[in-house]
Coordinates of all heavy atoms in Angstrom, one line a residue:
M1304 N 50.1 -32.5 -1.0 CA 49.2 -33.0 0.0 C 49.0 -32.0 1.1 O 50.0 -31.4 1.6 CB 49.7 -34.4 0.5 CG 48.7 -35.0 1.5 SD 49.3 -36.7 1.6 CE 48.5 -37.1 3.1
L1305 N 47.8 -31.8 1.5 CA 47.5 -30.8 2.6 C 47.8 -31.4 4.0 O 47.6 -32.6 4.2 CB 46.1 -30.4 2.5 CG 45.6 -29.6 1.3 CD1 44.1 -29.4 1.3 CD2 46.3 -28.3 1.2
S1306 N 48.2 -30.6 4.9 CA 48.4 -31.0 6.2 C 47.0 -31.1 6.9 O 46.0 -30.6 6.4 CB 49.3 -30.0 7.0 OG 48.6 -28.8 7.2
I1307 N 47.0 -31.8 8.0 CA 45.7 -32.0 8.8 C 45.1 -30.6 9.1 O 43.9 -30.4 8.9 CB 45.9 -32.8 10.0 CG1 46.3 -34.2 9.6 CG2 44.7 -32.8 10.9 CD1 46.7 -35.1 10.8
C1308 N 45.9 -29.6 9.5 CA 45.4 -28.3 9.9 C 44.8 -27.6 8.7 O 43.7 -27.0 8.8 CB 46.5 -27.5 10.5 SG 47.0 -28.0 12.1
E1309 N 45.5 -27.6 7.5 CA 45.0 -27.0 6.4 C 43.7 -27.6 5.9 O 42.8 -27.0 5.4 CB 46.1 -27.0 5.3 CG 47.3 -26.1 5.6 CD 48.4 -26.3 4.5 OE1 48.4 -27.4 3.9 OE2 49.2 -25.4 4.4
D1310 N 43.7 -28.9 6.0 CA 42.5 -29.7 5.5 C 41.3 -29.3 6.4 O 40.2 -29.1 5.9 CB 42.8 -31.2 5.6 CG 41.7 -32.0 4.8 OD1 41.2 -31.5 3.8 OD2 41.5 -33.2 5.2
A1311 N 41.5 -29.2 7.7 CA 40.4 -28.9 8.6 C 40.0 -27.4 8.4 O 38.8 -27.1 8.4 CB 40.9 -29.0 10.1
R1312 N 40.9 -26.5 8.1 CA 40.6 -25.1 7.8 C 39.7 -25.0 6.6 O 38.7 -24.3 6.6 CB 41.8 -24.3 7.7 CG 41.5 -22.8 7.6 CD 42.7 -22.0 7.2 NE 43.0 -22.3 5.8 CZ 44.3 -22.3 5.3 NH1 45.3 -21.9 6.1 NH2 44.5 -22.6 4.1
E1313 N 40.1 -25.8 5.5 CA 39.3 -25.7 4.3 C 37.9 -26.3 4.5 O 36.9 -25.8 4.0 CB 40.0 -26.5 3.2 CG 41.2 -25.7 2.7 CD 41.9 -26.4 1.5 OE1 41.3 -27.4 1.0 OE2 42.9 -25.9 1.0
E1314 N 37.8 -27.3 5.3 CA 36.4 -27.9 5.6 C 35.6 -26.9 6.4 O 34.4 -26.7 6.1 CB 36.6 -29.2 6.4 CG 37.0 -30.4 5.6 CD 37.1 -31.6 6.4 OE1 36.4 -31.7 7.5 OE2 37.8 -32.5 6.0
G1315 N 36.2 -26.2 7.3 CA 35.5 -25.2 8.1 C 35.1 -24.0 7.2 O 34.0 -23.5 7.4
E1316 N 35.9 -23.6 6.3 CA 35.5 -22.5 5.4 C 34.4 -23.0 4.5 O 33.5 -22.2 4.2 CB 36.7 -22.1 4.6 CG 37.8 -21.3 5.4 CD 39.1 -21.1 4.6 OE1 39.1 -21.5 3.4 OE2 40.0 -20.4 5.1
A1317 N 34.4 -24.2 4.1 CA 33.3 -24.7 3.3 C 32.0 -24.7 4.1 O 30.9 -24.4 3.6 CB 33.6 -26.1 2.8
D1318 N 32.1 -25.1 5.4 CA 30.9 -25.1 6.2 C 30.4 -23.6 6.4 O 29.2 -23.4 6.3 CB 31.2 -25.6 7.6 CG 31.5 -27.1 7.6 OD1 31.1 -27.8 6.6 OD2 32.1 -27.6 8.6
V1319 N 31.2 -22.7 6.6 CA 30.8 -21.3 6.7 C 30.1 -20.8 5.4 O 29.1 -20.2 5.5 CB 32.0 -20.4 7.1 CG1 31.7 -18.9 7.0 CG2 32.5 -20.7 8.5
R1320 N 30.7 -21.1 4.3 CA 30.1 -20.8 3.0 C 28.7 -21.4 2.9 O 27.8 -20.7 2.4 CB 31.0 -21.1 1.9 CG 32.2 -20.2 1.7 CD 32.9 -20.5 0.3 NE 33.5 -21.8 0.2 CZ 34.7 -22.2 0.6 NH1 35.5 -21.3 1.2 NH2 35.1 -23.4 0.5
A1321 N 28.6 -22.6 3.3 CA 27.3 -23.3 3.2 C 26.3 -22.6 4.1 O 25.1 -22.4 3.8 CB 27.4 -24.8 3.6
I1322 N 26.7 -22.2 5.3 CA 25.8 -21.6 6.3 C 25.3 -20.2 5.7 O 24.2 -19.8 5.7 CB 26.4 -21.4 7.6 CG1 26.6 -22.8 8.3 CG2 25.6 -20.5 8.5 CD1 27.4 -22.8 9.5
I1323 N 26.3 -19.4 5.2 CA 26.0 -18.1 4.6 C 25.0 -18.3 3.5 O 24.0 -17.5 3.3 CB 27.3 -17.4 4.1 CG1 28.1 -17.0 5.4 CG2 27.0 -16.2 3.3 CD1 29.5 -16.5 5.0
H1324 N 25.2 -19.3 2.6 CA 24.3 -19.5 1.5 C 22.9 -19.8 2.0 O 21.9 -19.3 1.5 CB 24.8 -20.7 0.6 CG 23.9 -21.1 -0.4 ND1 23.7 -20.3 -1.6 CD2 23.0 -22.2 -0.6 CE1 22.8 -20.9 -2.3 NE2 22.4 -22.0 -1.7
R1325 N 22.8 -20.7 3.0 CA 21.4 -21.0 3.6 C 20.8 -19.8 4.2 O 19.6 -19.6 4.0 CB 21.6 -22.1 4.6 CG 21.8 -23.5 4.0 CD 21.9 -24.5 5.1 NE 22.1 -25.8 4.5 CZ 22.2 -26.9 5.2 NH1 22.1 -26.9 6.5 NH2 22.4 -28.1 4.6
V1326 N 21.5 -18.9 4.9 CA 20.9 -17.7 5.5 C 20.4 -16.8 4.3 O 19.3 -16.2 4.4 CB 21.9 -17.0 6.4 CG1 21.4 -15.6 6.7 CG2 22.2 -17.8 7.6
R1327 N 21.2 -16.7 3.3 CA 20.8 -15.8 2.2 C 19.5 -16.3 1.5 O 18.8 -15.6 0.9 CB 21.9 -15.6 1.2 CG 23.0 -14.7 1.7 CD 24.1 -14.5 0.7 NE 25.1 -13.6 1.2 CZ 26.4 -13.6 0.8 NH1 26.8 -14.4 -0.2 NH2 27.2 -12.7 1.3
M1328 N 19.3 -17.6 1.5 CA 18.2 -18.2 0.9 C 16.9 -18.1 1.7 O 15.8 -18.3 1.2 CB 18.4 -19.7 0.6 CG 19.6 -19.9 -0.4 SD 19.4 -19.1 -2.0 CE 18.0 -19.9 -2.7
L1329 N 17.0 -17.7 3.0 CA 15.8 -17.6 3.8 C 14.9 -16.4 3.3 O 15.4 -15.4 2.8 CB 16.2 -17.3 5.3 CG 16.9 -18.4 6.0 CD1 17.3 -17.9 7.4 CD2 15.9 -19.6 6.2
K1330 N 13.6 -16.6 3.4 CA 12.7 -15.6 3.0 C 12.5 -14.6 4.1 O 12.7 -14.9 5.3 CB 11.3 -16.2 2.7 CG 11.3 -17.1 1.5 CD 10.0 -17.7 1.1 CE 10.1 -18.6 -0.1 NZ 8.8 -19.0 -0.6
A1331 N 12.2 -13.4 3.7 CA 12.0 -12.3 4.7 C 10.8 -12.6 5.5 O 9.8 -13.2 5.0 CB 11.9 -11.0 4.0
A1332 N 10.8 -12.3 6.8 CA 9.7 -12.5 7.6 C 8.6 -11.4 7.3 O 8.8 -10.3 7.0 CB 10.1 -12.3 9.1
D1333 N 7.3 -11.9 7.4 CA 6.2 -11.0 7.2 C 5.8 -10.4 8.6 O 5.1 -11.1 9.4 CB 5.0 -11.8 6.6 CG 3.8 -10.9 6.3 OD1 4.0 -9.7 6.2 OD2 2.8 -11.5 6.1
V1334 N 6.3 -9.3 8.9 CA 6.1 -8.7 10.2 C 5.3 -7.4 10.1 O 5.3 -6.7 9.1 CB 7.4 -8.5 11.0 CG1 8.1 -9.8 11.2 CG2 8.3 -7.6 10.2
A1335 N 4.8 -7.0 11.3 CA 4.1 -5.7 11.4 C 4.6 -5.0 12.6 O 5.1 -5.6 13.5 CB 2.6 -5.9 11.5
P1336 N 4.6 -3.7 12.6 CA 5.1 -2.9 13.8 C 4.2 -3.2 15.0 O 3.0 -3.5 14.8 CB 5.0 -1.5 13.3 CG 4.1 -1.4 12.2 CD 4.1 -2.8 11.5
V1337 N 4.8 -3.2 16.1 CA 4.1 -3.4 17.4 C 3.3 -2.1 17.7 O 3.9 -1.0 17.7 CB 5.0 -3.8 18.5 CG1 4.3 -3.9 19.8 CG2 5.8 -5.0 18.2
V1338 N 2.0 -2.2 18.0 CA 1.2 -1.1 18.4 C 1.1 -1.2 20.0 O 0.7 -2.3 20.5 CB -0.2 -1.2 17.8 CG1 -1.1 -0.1 18.3 CG2 -0.1 -1.1 16.3
H1339 N 1.3 -0.1 20.7 CA 1.3 -0.1 22.1 C 0.0 0.7 22.6 O -0.3 1.7 21.9 CB 2.5 0.6 22.7 CG 3.8 -0.1 22.3 ND1 4.3 -1.2 23.1 CD2 4.6 0.0 21.3 CE1 5.4 -1.6 22.5 NE2 5.6 -1.0 21.4
G1340 N -0.6 0.2 23.6 CA -1.8 0.9 24.2 C -1.9 0.7 25.7 O -0.9 0.2 26.3
Q1341 N -3.0 1.0 26.2 CA -3.3 0.8 27.6 C -4.7 0.6 27.9 O -5.6 1.0 27.1 CB -2.7 1.9 28.5 CG -3.5 3.2 28.3 CD -2.8 4.4 29.1 OE1 -1.8 4.2 29.6 NE2 -3.5 5.5 29.1
W1342 N -5.1 -0.1 28.9 CA -6.4 -0.3 29.4 C -6.8 1.0 30.2 O -6.1 1.3 31.2 CB -6.6 -1.5 30.2 CG -6.5 -2.8 29.4 CD1 -5.6 -3.8 29.6 CD2 -7.3 -3.2 28.4 NE1 -5.7 -4.8 28.7 CE2 -6.8 -4.5 27.9 CE3 -8.4 -2.7 27.7 CZ2 -7.4 -5.2 26.9 CZ3 -9.0 -3.5 26.7 CH2 -8.5 -4.7 26.3
E1343 N -7.8 1.7 29.8 CA -8.3 2.9 30.5 C -9.6 2.5 31.3 O -10.6 2.0 30.6 CB -8.6 4.0 29.5 CG -7.4 4.4 28.7 CD -7.7 5.3 27.5 OE1 -8.9 5.3 27.0 OE2 -6.8 6.0 27.1
Q1344 N -9.6 2.6 32.6 CA -10.8 2.3 33.3 C -11.8 3.3 33.1 O -11.6 4.5 33.3 CB -10.4 2.2 34.8 CG -11.6 1.7 35.6 CD -11.3 1.5 37.1 OE1 -10.1 1.1 37.4 NE2 -12.2 1.6 38.0
I1345 N -13.0 2.9 32.7 CA -14.1 3.9 32.4 C -15.2 3.8 33.4 O -16.0 4.7 33.5 CB -14.6 3.7 31.0 CG1 -15.0 2.3 30.7 CG2 -13.5 4.2 30.0 CD1 -15.7 2.1 29.3
K1346 N -15.3 2.7 34.1 CA -16.4 2.6 35.1 C -16.0 1.5 36.1 O -15.3 0.6 35.8 CB -17.7 2.1 34.4 CG -18.9 2.3 35.3 CD -20.1 2.6 34.5 CE -21.3 2.8 35.5 NZ -22.2 3.8 35.1
E1347 N -16.4 1.7 37.4 CA -16.1 0.7 38.4 C -17.3 0.5 39.3 O -18.0 1.5 39.7 CB -14.9 1.2 39.3 CG -14.5 0.1 40.3 CD -13.3 0.5 41.0 OE1 -12.6 1.5 40.6 OE2 -13.0 -0.1 42.1
W1348 N -17.6 -0.8 39.6 CA -18.7 -1.1 40.5 C -18.0 -1.8 41.7 O -16.8 -2.0 41.8 CB -19.7 -2.1 39.8 CG -20.4 -1.4 38.7 CD1 -21.5 -0.7 38.7 CD2 -20.0 -1.4 37.3 NE1 -21.8 -0.2 37.5 CE2 -20.9 -0.7 36.6 CE3 -18.9 -2.0 36.6 CZ2 -20.9 -0.5 35.2 CZ3 -18.9 -1.9 35.2 CH2 -19.8 -1.1 34.5
A1349 N -18.8 -2.3 42.6 CA -18.3 -3.0 43.8 C -17.4 -4.2 43.5 O -16.4 -4.5 44.1 CB -19.4 -3.3 44.8
T1350 N -17.8 -5.0 42.5 CA -17.2 -6.3 42.2 C -16.5 -6.3 40.8 O -15.8 -7.3 40.5 CB -18.2 -7.4 42.3 OG1 -19.2 -7.2 41.4 CG2 -18.7 -7.5 43.7
K1351 N -16.7 -5.4 40.0 CA -16.2 -5.4 38.6 C -15.8 -4.0 38.1 O -16.3 -3.0 38.7 CB -17.1 -6.2 37.7 CG -18.4 -5.5 37.5 CD -19.3 -6.4 36.7 CE -20.8 -5.8 36.7 NZ -21.7 -6.6 35.9
A1352 N -15.1 -4.0 37.0 CA -14.8 -2.7 36.4 C -14.8 -2.9 34.9 O -14.7 -4.0 34.4 CB -13.4 -2.3 36.8
K1353 N -15.0 -1.8 34.2 CA -15.1 -1.8 32.7 C -13.8 -1.0 32.3 O -13.5 0.1 32.8 CB -16.3 -1.1 32.2 CG -16.5 -1.2 30.7 CD -17.7 -0.4 30.3 CE -18.8 -1.4 30.0 NZ -20.0 -0.7 29.4
Y1354 N -13.1 -1.5 31.3 CA -11.9 -0.9 30.7 C -12.1 -0.8 29.2 O -12.8 -1.5 28.6 CB -10.7 -1.8 31.0 CG -10.4 -2.0 32.5 CD1 -10.9 -3.0 33.2 CD2 -9.5 -1.1 33.1 CE1 -10.6 -3.1 34.6 CE2 -9.2 -1.2 34.5 CZ -9.8 -2.3 35.2 OH -9.5 -2.4 36.5
R1355 N -11.4 0.2 28.7 CA -11.4 0.5 27.2 C -10.0 0.5 26.7 O -9.1 1.1 27.3 CB -12.1 1.9 27.0 CG -12.1 2.2 25.5 CD -12.7 3.6 25.2 NE -14.1 3.6 25.6 CZ -14.7 4.5 26.3 NH1 -14.0 5.6 26.7 NH2 -15.9 4.4 26.7
C1356 N -9.8 -0.1 25.5 CA -8.5 -0.1 24.8 C -8.3 1.3 24.3 O -9.1 1.8 23.6 CB -8.5 -1.2 23.7 SG -7.1 -1.1 22.6
S1357 N -7.1 1.8 24.6 CA -6.8 3.2 24.1 C -6.5 3.2 22.6 O -6.4 4.3 22.0 CB -5.6 3.7 24.8 OG -4.4 2.9 24.5
V1358 N -6.4 2.0 21.9 CA -6.1 2.0 20.5 C -7.4 1.8 19.7 O -7.7 2.6 18.8 CB -5.1 0.9 20.2 CG1 -4.9 0.7 18.7 CG2 -3.8 1.1 20.9
C1359 N -8.2 0.8 20.0 CA -9.4 0.5 19.2 C -10.7 0.9 19.9 O -11.7 0.9 19.2 CB -9.4 -0.9 18.8 SG -9.7 -2.1 20.1
G1360 N -10.7 1.1 21.2 CA -11.9 1.4 21.9 C -12.7 0.2 22.4 O -13.8 0.4 23.0
R1361 N -12.2 -1.0 22.2 CA -12.9 -2.2 22.6 C -13.0 -2.1 24.1 O -12.1 -1.7 24.8 CB -12.1 -3.4 22.2 CG -12.8 -4.7 22.7 CD -11.9 -5.9 22.3 NE -12.4 -7.1 22.9 CZ -13.3 -7.9 22.4 NH1 -13.8 -7.6 21.2 NH2 -13.7 -9.0 23.0
E1362 N -14.2 -2.5 24.7 CA -14.4 -2.5 26.1 C -14.5 -3.9 26.6 O -15.0 -4.8 26.0 CB -15.7 -1.7 26.4 CG -15.6 -0.3 26.0 CD -16.9 0.5 26.3 OE1 -17.9 -0.1 26.8 OE2 -16.9 1.7 26.1
I1363 N -13.9 -4.1 27.8 CA -13.9 -5.4 28.5 C -14.4 -5.2 29.9 O -14.2 -4.1 30.5 CB -12.6 -6.1 28.5 CG1 -11.5 -5.3 29.2 CG2 -12.1 -6.4 27.0 CD1 -10.3 -6.2 29.5
M1364 N -14.9 -6.2 30.5 CA -15.3 -6.2 31.9 C -14.3 -7.1 32.7 O -13.9 -8.2 32.1 CB -16.7 -6.8 32.1 CG -17.8 -5.9 31.4 SD -18.1 -4.4 32.3 CE -19.2 -4.9 33.5
S1365 N -14.0 -6.7 33.9 CA -13.0 -7.5 34.6 C -13.4 -7.4 36.1 O -13.9 -6.4 36.6 CB -11.6 -7.0 34.4 OG -10.7 -7.8 35.3
A1366 N -13.2 -8.5 36.8 CA -13.4 -8.4 38.3 C -12.5 -7.4 38.9 O -11.3 -7.4 38.5 CB -13.3 -9.8 38.9
V1367 N -12.9 -6.6 39.8 CA -12.1 -5.6 40.4 C -10.8 -6.2 41.0 O -9.7 -5.7 40.9 CB -12.9 -4.8 41.4 CG1 -11.9 -3.8 42.2 CG2 -13.9 -3.9 40.7
K1368 N -11.0 -7.3 41.7 CA -9.8 -8.0 42.3 C -8.9 -8.6 41.4 O -7.8 -8.9 41.7 CB -10.3 -9.0 43.4 CG -11.1 -8.3 44.5 CD -11.5 -9.3 45.5 CE -12.2 -8.5 46.6 NZ -12.8 -9.3 47.6
V1369 N -9.3 -8.8 40.1 CA -8.4 -9.4 39.1 C -7.6 -8.2 38.5 O -8.1 -7.2 38.1 CB -9.2 -10.1 38.0 CG1 -8.3 -10.6 36.9 CG2 -10.0 -11.2 38.5
N1370 N -6.3 -8.4 38.5 CA -5.4 -7.3 38.0 C -5.6 -7.3 36.5 O -5.6 -8.3 35.8 CB -4.0 -7.7 38.3 CG -3.0 -6.5 38.1 OD1 -3.3 -5.7 37.3 ND2 -1.9 -6.5 38.8
I1371 N -5.7 -6.1 36.0 CA -5.9 -5.9 34.5 C -4.7 -6.4 33.7 O -4.8 -6.6 32.5 CB -6.3 -4.4 34.2 CG1 -6.8 -4.3 32.8 CG2 -5.1 -3.5 34.4 CD1 -8.1 -4.9 32.5
E1372 N -3.6 -6.5 34.4 CA -2.4 -7.1 33.7 C -2.6 -8.5 33.2 O -1.8 -9.0 32.5 CB -1.2 -7.0 34.6 CG -0.7 -5.6 34.9 CD 0.4 -5.5 35.9 OE1 0.9 -6.6 36.3 OE2 0.8 -4.4 36.2
K1373 N -3.7 -9.1 33.6 CA -4.1 -10.4 33.2 C -4.4 -10.4 31.6 O -4.4 -11.4 31.0 CB -5.3 -10.9 33.9 CG -5.8 -12.3 33.5 CD -7.0 -12.7 34.3 CE -7.6 -14.0 33.8 NZ -8.8 -14.4 34.5
Y1374 N -4.6 -9.2 31.1 CA -4.9 -9.0 29.7 C -3.8 -8.2 29.1 O -4.0 -7.0 28.9 CB -6.3 -8.3 29.6 CG -7.4 -9.0 30.3 CD1 -7.8 -8.6 31.6 CD2 -8.0 -10.1 29.7 CE1 -8.8 -9.2 32.2 CE2 -9.0 -10.8 30.4 CZ -9.4 -10.3 31.6 OH -10.4 -11.0 32.3
P1375 N -2.7 -8.8 28.7 CA -1.5 -8.0 28.2 C -1.7 -7.5 26.8 O -1.0 -6.7 26.3 CB -0.4 -9.0 28.3 CG -1.0 -10.3 28.2 CD -2.4 -10.2 28.9
Y1376 N -2.7 -8.1 26.0 CA -3.0 -7.7 24.7 C -4.5 -7.5 24.5 O -5.3 -8.2 25.1 CB -2.6 -8.8 23.7 CG -1.1 -8.9 23.6 CD1 -0.4 -9.8 24.4 CD2 -0.3 -8.1 22.7 CE1 1.0 -9.9 24.4 CE2 1.1 -8.3 22.6 CZ 1.7 -9.1 23.5 OH 3.1 -9.2 23.4
C1377 N -4.9 -6.5 23.6 CA -6.3 -6.4 23.2 C -6.5 -7.3 22.0 O -5.5 -7.7 21.3 CB -6.5 -4.9 22.8 SG -8.2 -4.6 22.3
H1378 N -7.8 -7.5 21.7 CA -8.1 -8.3 20.5 C -7.6 -7.6 19.2 O -7.4 -8.3 18.2 CB -9.6 -8.6 20.4 CG -10.0 -9.5 21.5 ND1 -9.6 -10.8 21.6 CD2 -10.9 -9.3 22.5 CE1 -10.2 -11.4 22.6 NE2 -11.0 -10.5 23.2
C1379 N -7.4 -6.3 19.2 CA -6.9 -5.6 18.0 C -5.4 -5.9 17.8 O -4.8 -5.5 16.8 CB -7.2 -4.1 18.1 SG -6.2 -3.2 19.4
G1380 N -4.7 -6.5 18.8 CA -3.3 -6.8 18.7 C -2.4 -5.8 19.4 O -1.2 -6.0 19.5
A1381 N -3.0 -4.8 20.0 CA -2.2 -3.8 20.7 C -1.6 -4.4 22.0 O -2.3 -5.1 22.7 CB -3.0 -2.6 21.1
K1382 N -0.3 -4.1 22.2 CA 0.3 -4.6 23.4 C 0.1 -3.6 24.5 O 0.4 -2.4 24.4 CB 1.9 -4.7 23.2 CG 2.6 -5.3 24.4 CD 4.1 -5.5 24.0 CE 4.8 -6.2 25.2 NZ 6.2 -6.4 24.9
M1383 N -0.5 -4.0 25.6 CA -1.0 -3.1 26.6 C 0.1 -2.8 27.6 O 0.1 -3.3 28.8 CB -2.2 -3.6 27.3 CG -3.4 -3.9 26.3 SD -3.6 -2.5 25.3 CE -5.3 -2.2 25.4
D1384 N 1.1 -2.0 27.2 CA 2.3 -1.8 28.1 C 2.5 -0.3 28.4 O 3.6 0.0 29.0 CB 3.5 -2.5 27.6 CG 3.9 -2.0 26.2 OD1 3.2 -1.2 25.6 OD2 5.0 -2.4 25.7
L1385 N 1.6 0.6 27.9 CA 1.8 2.0 28.2 C 1.4 2.3 29.6 O 0.4 1.7 30.1 CB 1.0 2.8 27.2 CG 1.5 2.8 25.8 CD1 0.6 3.7 24.9 CD2 2.9 3.2 25.6
E1386 N 2.0 3.2 30.2 CA 1.7 3.6 31.6 C 0.6 4.8 31.5 O 0.8 5.6 30.6 CB 2.9 4.1 32.4 CG 3.9 3.0 32.6 CD 3.5 2.0 33.6 OE1 2.8 2.4 34.5 OE2 3.9 0.8 33.4
G1387 N -0.3 4.8 32.4 CA -1.4 5.8 32.4 C -1.1 7.0 33.1 O -0.1 7.4 33.6

């Protein structure tokens, strides 16, 4: 007959084996590399400005007083975190 400590240890080992089995059964994530870019200001007027994505070239208009950081991603998926 097992002591209480040995019994608990065996149960714990069984739990660990079950967790390892579940992790191994997980499917791999479908991921893509992160693309980094920046908004390049191409034109400025009194109340607005035009910016271009350095990755795909998409242009957006933004109020001059609105910080361009309001747009942390382009529609192409680029993360706009590069410094100009």
Side-chain angles (χ1 to χ4, degrees):
M1304 186 164 160
L1305 296 174
S1306 70
I1307 294 174
C1308 291
E1309 290 173 336
D1310 196 29
R1312 187 189 68 209
E1313 286 185 4
E1314 286 180 23
E1316 289 172 358
D1318 290 341
V1319 169
R1320 284 192 297 273
I1322 291 169
I1323 290 170
H1324 175 73
R1325 286 184 178 178
V1326 169
R1327 287 183 177 157
M1328 296 305 293
L1329 292 173
K1330 293 183 180 187
D1333 184 16
V1334 297
V1337 176
V1338 176
H1339 299 272
Q1341 66 183 9
W1342 291 117
E1343 301 167 336
Q1344 185 173 330
I1345 55 175
K1346 192 146 184 146
E1347 185 174 346
W1348 298 272
T1350 59
K1351 60 186 174 182
K1353 186 184 260 189
Y1354 297 90
R1355 179 181 296 133
C1356 172
S1357 65
V1358 176
C1359 71
R1361 179 185 174 87
E1362 296 179 358
I1363 64 167
M1364 298 286 277
S1365 177
V1367 171
K1368 293 182 180 175
V1369 175
N1370 192 336
I1371 196 65
E1372 291 176 3
K1373 179 180 177 186
Y1374 305 99
Y1376 292 90
C1377 179
H1378 291 298
C1379 70
K1382 183 175 183 180
M1383 303 312 232
D1384 60 356
L1385 292 179
E1386 298 288 326

